[in-house]
Amino acid sequence: MAIFNKRLFNNISLILLMLSFFTALSDRIMGRNAFFLSVIMMLLINIKNIEFSLKKILVPLTTLIFGVALWVWYHLYCQQDNTIFLANQNYNIISRYMIFIGIALFFIQCIKPIYYGPSLRVLILTISTCSFIYVCGVGFFYFLSHPSARIRIDSAATISAYIVTLQCLFTIYIINLFSVKSKKYLISLVIALGFITLSLTETRSAILCFPIIIFIYFFNPKLFVKKKYIAYYTSIFILLSLCIKTFFPLTIERLASSYTEISEMSVNNDSSIGARVSMWQSGIYTFTKHPFGQSPSSRFQDVIHYIDSKEHGNPEGKRNSVYHLHNDLIERLSLQGVLGGISYILLLASIIYFAYKENRFREYFVLFILPIISFGSVDTLFIDKRFIIVFGAQLLLFNFFQRKNFQEK
């Protein structure tokens, strides 16, 4: 009976963690509460089954360093600072989230393997697929209510696109992991829903990166030579592209505008891409002036000075600088200095190294780190509370969702 209860509560905590991962975007408070509850349950239930391992300390340690470095910076530079800056509003709570995630990873990664039976496998597959369909449904409902606007899933269109990408890729991983009979068609459905949702957000980086990531994940030299295999998934994206061009022309127009923005940047940088370039250059400039950190207001003054003097007073760049500098590494360097940049690089590098040592490079890197690096090079992910919950939940879920964990003893 004790074993049964323990297994039951482990299953409940795992399901809560999944719900946290999928609801953090559309229902942030629910996702946050489910995350903390699931982690606490896992630790209490398995406290006697923890076996510490040196090789599993690296990722929790770098996550903890990231959170502590951000917490220290906030209390050094932001206590008396102007609260209009998004960094002041978000980084304090995000630092605590990251510290909690680091501590949780430290213990949960060291829990003895928990084995799950076929019934839980079906439940997990159902929850993953239905939850992702629900998230896309929220986006479609917004589109129907605001047909001329970029869809927002209870957040900005860009962060909505980034998180939907991570959720879509993880759902594909779950379906692929369980090897269900209808796997090919279920994966096709998820890809279709994900790609259409991303297209409606009109977030160019996500729309362009998504097919490439899908291709890299499924690429297999042995299967690639089979014409049926490559033709099937290629036809999916061709059909989806044609549908988007026909029914959602604004998405195509926004993609096409990228060429115009880049070609005209030297004479008119007051555009989405031009603003990003201006902010990146100003961020590097202010980092050289304050290599050991500064407040958001101090950074903003330097950024405005640089944009006015070197970037033709780019109004779009100045307007967005209040929020962040649209690049995770430059954001860290320009605010936290060298320590912030190192903590960010160490965090991503440790996850990649751990994945390599665990022979799980493809799932960790392609489905998790590659999107984060790609999107983090043109935007700032680690300033958003929804993203942090998704980031922490996915790290924990990868720890449990291994093929060996779904085999009976």
Side-chain angles (χ1 to χ4, degrees):
M1 181 63 70
I3 296 175
F4 171 78
N5 288 337
K6 182 179 178 181
R7 176 172 292 189
L8 174 64
F9 283 110
N10 271 321
N11 294 349
I12 292 173
S13 60
L14 183 62
I15 290 169
L16 282 172
L17 187 60
M18 290 180 60
L19 292 175
S20 167
F21 175 75
F22 283 105
T23 61
L25 177 61
S26 57
D27 306 277
R28 185 180 67 84
I29 302 301
M30 181 190 299
R32 180 201 63 189
N33 293 344
F35 178 76
F36 287 119
L37 180 59
S38 65
V39 170
I40 292 170
M41 283 181 63
M42 285 181 190
L43 294 178
L44 292 177
I45 295 166
N46 299 284
I47 193 69
K48 294 182 179 179
N49 292 331
I50 294 176
E51 292 181 341
F52 294 108
S53 171
L54 287 176
K55 71 175 183 178
K56 293 184 177 181
I57 290 178
L58 185 59
V59 175
L61 182 61
T62 56
T63 305
L64 196 60
I65 290 172
F66 185 99
V68 170
L70 190 56
W71 184 86
V72 169
W73 166 83
Y74 179 86
H75 287 278
L76 283 176
Y77 291 105
C78 295
Q79 295 297 79
Q80 305 299 324
D81 202 11
N82 197 319
T83 56
I84 66 168
F85 301 105
L86 192 62
N88 285 334
Q89 299 172 27
N90 282 6
Y91 279 146
N92 186 30
I93 186 65
I94 284 173
S95 68
R96 287 180 279 170
Y97 280 7
M98 291 296 287
I99 291 171
F100 180 84
I101 291 168
I103 295 171
L105 277 171
F106 180 77
F107 289 101
I108 289 176
Q109 281 194 155
C110 295
I111 293 175
K112 291 180 181 179
I114 303 169
Y115 297 91
Y116 304 102
S119 58
L120 182 63
R121 179 184 307 187
V122 174
L123 181 60
I124 288 172
L125 184 64
T126 303
I127 291 175
S128 300
T129 308
C130 291
S131 296
F132 181 69
I133 292 173
Y134 166 75
V135 171
C136 293
V138 173
F140 295 155
F141 179 79
Y142 185 91
F143 172 73
L144 293 174
S145 306
H146 308 78
S148 60
R150 300 170 63 184
I151 69 169
R152 302 160 56 93
I153 305 177
D154 198 34
S155 185
T158 49
I159 198 66
S160 298
Y162 304 145
I163 293 179
V164 165
T165 300
L166 290 174
Q167 292 172 334
C168 182
L169 294 174
F170 192 75
T171 304
I172 291 170
Y173 168 68
I174 295 299
I175 298 170
N176 199 39
L177 176 67
F178 292 159
S179 301
V180 295
K181 291 182 179 179
S182 56
K183 177 174 69 173
K184 183 170 69 172
Y185 303 107
L186 202 53
I187 287 176
S188 301
L189 172 64
V190 171
I191 289 175
L193 288 174
F195 191 61
I196 292 172
T197 304
L198 294 179
S199 298
L200 293 178
T201 67
E202 300 180 20
T203 304
R204 291 171 288 193
S205 55
I207 296 170
L208 295 173
C209 288
F210 182 69
I212 298 172
I213 294 170
I214 293 291
F215 176 79
I216 294 172
Y217 177 65
F218 283 107
F219 179 78
N220 185 319
K222 295 180 180 178
L223 294 175
F224 188 73
V225 297
K226 296 182 179 180
K227 295 181 180 178
K228 290 183 178 180
Y229 179 85
I230 192 65
Y232 180 78
Y233 287 104
T234 302
S235 63
I236 291 175
F237 283 108
I238 292 175
L239 288 173
L240 288 171
S241 299
L242 290 173
C243 290
I244 290 167
K245 183 178 181 180
T246 304
F247 299 107
F248 313 115
L250 290 177
T251 301
I252 301 300
E253 290 178 13
R254 183 166 171 80
L255 288 172
S257 68
S258 300
Y259 174 78
T260 305
E261 290 182 19
I262 294 172
S263 61
E264 297 180 354
M265 198 181 307
S266 59
V267 294
N268 178 26
N269 61 356
D270 184 21
S271 63
S272 178
I273 295 176
R276 280 171 165 78
V277 174
S278 295
M279 287 187 286
W280 298 339
Q281 292 176 338
S282 64
I284 294 171
Y285 162 77
T286 191
F287 164 66
T288 60
K289 289 189 63 179
H290 304 274
F292 300 106
Q294 63 180 320
S295 68
S297 60
S298 171
R299 180 184 72 172
F300 184 70
Q301 293 171 7
D302 285 345
V303 167
I304 296 301
H305 169 73
Y306 182 88
I307 290 178
D308 281 337
S309 60
K310 303 290 185 179
E311 295 294 310
H312 313 295
N314 189 332
E316 183 72 6
K318 291 197 289 188
R319 183 180 68 83
N320 282 284
S321 298
V322 176
Y323 307 114
H324 50 76
L325 298 187
H326 285 71
N327 179 289
D328 267 316
L329 180 57
I330 293 176
E331 174 76 7
R332 303 267 85 77
L333 289 170
S334 64
L335 282 177
Q336 296 175 253
V338 176
L339 180 59
I342 291 175
S343 66
Y344 173 75
I345 294 171
L346 283 177
L347 175 62
L348 299 186
S350 67
I351 297 172
I352 295 172
Y353 177 77
F354 175 77
Y356 174 76
K357 297 298 289 185
E358 291 287 300
N359 296 316
R360 302 181 68 195
F361 182 80
R362 187 171 68 156
E363 62 201 64
Y364 268 93
F365 181 75
V366 178
L367 300 180
F368 187 45
I369 297 301
L370 181 58
I372 289 175
I373 293 175
S374 300
F375 301 148
S377 64
V378 295
D379 216 324
T380 303
L381 304 179
F382 284 88
I383 199 172
D384 189 90
K385 288 174 277 191
R386 293 172 177 81
F387 170 78
I388 298 300
I389 294 298
V390 169
F391 174 82
Q394 191 162 356
L395 271 179
L396 293 171
L397 287 170
F398 269 139
N399 182 67
F400 290 105
F401 288 162
Q402 305 177 55
R403 202 169 295 279
K404 64 182 181 181
N405 294 81
F406 292 88
Q407 299 171 352
E408 292 284 2
K409 287 184 178 181

